[in-house]
């Protein structure tokens, strides 16, 4: 076999033909006409503008600016936002479908894509009209990059242990501290920063602030070298006596934990959709490589393995769509159910990439074929937006609670 890039990396028509072939009627039947339209628009933009750049972004670690701009120009950045803020007012299912499509073409681009949503959404649900109008349209058109700043060197999943402080002053707050592992942190023009106004209050002291990335005292670290997601930057943020006006609080003082919990469904739909998209990418690349090796008649061993992967991808997609559909119907979704979706789908992305690498043997290790990139990119999805160990803990608590109610 000539070890050249796969056609789906170089020819948009080949990309579309293969991924159209992988659509599943069992999942598509529950999509609305508009949701299928969003998928078509996204897949076309990905085939033309995103997938052809993915390998180079991975190799050079260049930021996926052009790919993100192409998605913005296609009108895809504001799917769950109202029209008056530059969005399209679509469903969470439409967003999940689009996230899967972007991830299947380039996971690193999808990480920047979803971070724009994650930065804009707290502004939508908890910000003043003025703050929303100032920042959301620019996040959605790609003219401004945003970040969510929660994680600290000694505080990850436990928000109550945050060390970054916001000291009340006469006309606002004085912000001091640092954040780490912040997606797009080196480029963030707006930062949704979580800090404590009173450490003794635990979660009740955590407050969400809107911080302009260009303010005095805001420092942006250099991007980390990472295993995967090379087209998306991850960096530290530093706050040294940053003056925050009182009107830049999201919600109310001490209401930061509520902002986190009200945003978590969106962030975990994003990660779950990445998991499904990475699994599909690994499957598609494996199928394309095997076809190049063996023609249209594959060995039974490979056929059996692909059949198993296909079923598992369909299961993950159905779970993703079901939870996203519930999020469209109600804001009262059990935390354990959201955790089940995130954990199951991101585990799927990683295990599918591992299996794809196994099926291809030595070819699975070749960067030019892209399966090893799926494997490297998939691992972090099991870690961010609440590690999968935390998701299992949340699921287990709901099981324990249900048992207690039966007693």
């Amino acid at each position: 076999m000539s070890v050249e890039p796969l056609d789906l990396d170089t020819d948009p028509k080949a990309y579309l033909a293969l991924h159209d072939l992988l659509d599943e009627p069992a999942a598509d039947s529950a999509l609305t006409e508009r949701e299928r339209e969003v998928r078509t628009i996204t897949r076309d933009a990905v085939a033309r503008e995103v997938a052809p750049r993915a390998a180079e972004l991975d190799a050079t670690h260049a930021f996926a600016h052009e790919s993100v701009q192409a998605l913005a120009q296609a009108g895809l950045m504001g799917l769950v936002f109202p029209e008056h803020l530059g969005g399209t007012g679509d469903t969470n299912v439409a967003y999940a479908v689009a996230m899967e499509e972007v991830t299947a073409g380039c996971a690193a681009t999808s990480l920047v894509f979803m971070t724009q949503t994650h930065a804009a959404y707290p502004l939508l649900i908890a910000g003043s009209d003025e703050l929303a109008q100032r920042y959301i349209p620019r996040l959605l058109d790609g003219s401004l990059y945003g970040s969510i700043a929660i994680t600290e060197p000694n505080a990850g999943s436990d928000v109550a242990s945050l060390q970054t402080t916001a000291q009340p002053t006469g006309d606002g707050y004085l912000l001091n501290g640092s954040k780490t592992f912040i997606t797009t942190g080196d480029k963030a023009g707006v930062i949704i920063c979580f800090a404590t106004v009173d450490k003794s209050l635990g979660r009740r002291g955590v407050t969400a602030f809107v911080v302009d990335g260009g303010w005095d005292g805001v420092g942006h670290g250099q991007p980390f070298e990472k295993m995967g997601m090379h087209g998306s930057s991850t960096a530290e943020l530093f706050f040294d006596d940053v003056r925050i006006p009182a009107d830049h609080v999201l919600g109310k003082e001490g209401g930061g934990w509520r902002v986190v919990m009200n945003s978590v469904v969106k962030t975990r739909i994003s990660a779950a959709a990445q998991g499904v998209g990475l699994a599909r990418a690994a499957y598609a690349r494996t199928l394309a490589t095997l076809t190049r090796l063996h023609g249209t008649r594959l060995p039974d061993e490979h056929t059996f393995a692909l059949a198993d992967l296909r079923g598992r991808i369909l299961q993950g997609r159905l779970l993703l769509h079901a939870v996203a559909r519930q999020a469209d119907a109600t804001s009262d979704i059990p935390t354990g159910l959201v955790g089940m979706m995130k954990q199951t789908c991101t585990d799927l992305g990683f295990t599918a990439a591992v299996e794809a690498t196994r099926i291809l043997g030595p070819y699975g290790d070749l960067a030019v074929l892209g399966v090893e990139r799926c494997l490297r990119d998939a691992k972090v999805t099991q870690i961010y937006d609440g590690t999968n160990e935390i998701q299992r803990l949340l699921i287990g608590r709901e099981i324990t609670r249900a048992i207690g109610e039966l007693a």
Side-chain angles (χ1 to χ4, degrees), residues 157-161 199 201-207 254-257 397:
S157 299
D158 184 10
V159 177
S161 62
K199 293 180 182 179
L201 295 177
R203 288 179 180 173
R204 292 183 292 112
V206 174
T207 304
W257 177 247
R397 284 175 178 171

Side-chain angles (χ1 to χ4, degrees), residues 150 156-160 162 194-195 202-208 250 252 254-264 268 335 394 397:
I150 300 177
S157 299
D158 184 10
V159 177
L162 294 182
F194 293 81
R203 288 179 180 173
R204 292 183 292 112
V206 174
T207 304
L250 288 179
K252 60 182 181 179
W257 177 247
R258 181 175 294 275
V259 174
V260 171
M261 295 310 296
N262 287 343
S263 302
V264 78
R268 290 176 184 169
T335 304
L394 295 173
R397 284 175 178 171

Side-chain angles (χ1 to χ4, degrees), residues 20-180:
D20 287 348
L21 182 68
L22 299 181
D23 287 339
E24 292 285 358
D28 292 352
S29 62
L31 299 179
T32 66
E33 181 178 352
R34 170 58 182 168
E35 288 159 358
R36 289 193 293 271
E37 180 186 17
V38 168
R39 182 179 66 186
T40 298
I41 294 170
T42 310
R43 185 174 295 173
D44 182 66
V46 169
R48 289 183 293 103
E49 302 287 351
V50 176
R53 295 188 175 102
E56 183 178 0
L57 293 177
D58 182 65
T60 64
H61 297 212
F63 186 70
H65 177 74
E66 291 82 3
S67 297
V68 173
Q69 295 304 308
L71 296 173
Q73 290 168 16
L76 295 166
M77 299 277 276
L79 290 173
V80 294
F81 294 88
E83 292 183 11
H84 73 274
L85 291 173
T88 52
D90 282 292
T91 63
N92 285 291
V93 177
Y95 173 70
V97 166
M99 271 298 306
E100 180 190 333
E101 292 299 328
V102 177
T103 307
C106 178
T109 299
S110 79
L111 182 50
V112 183
F113 177 76
M114 79 185 203
T115 301
Q116 294 296 94
T117 294
H118 297 177
Y121 191 68
L123 284 159
L124 177 67
I125 62 172
S128 66
D129 289 343
E130 182 182 351
L131 286 174
Q133 289 285 355
R134 186 184 307 173
Y135 292 109
I136 292 179
R138 289 192 288 157
L139 287 166
L140 303 189
D141 69 16
S143 61
L144 180 75
Y145 286 109
S147 292
I148 295 284
I150 300 177
T151 303
E152 298 179 0
N154 296 307
S157 299
D158 184 10
V159 177
S161 62
L162 294 182
Q163 297 300 304
T164 298
T165 60
Q167 180 183 353
T169 61
D171 57 354
Y173 299 83
L174 203 60
L175 182 67
N176 283 282
S178 64
K179 301 289 182 176
T180 193

Side-chain angles (χ1 to χ4, degrees), residues 322-336:
V323 177
R325 187 73 70 196
Q326 189 168 350
D328 286 322
T330 177
S331 59
D332 187 22
I333 304 178
T335 304

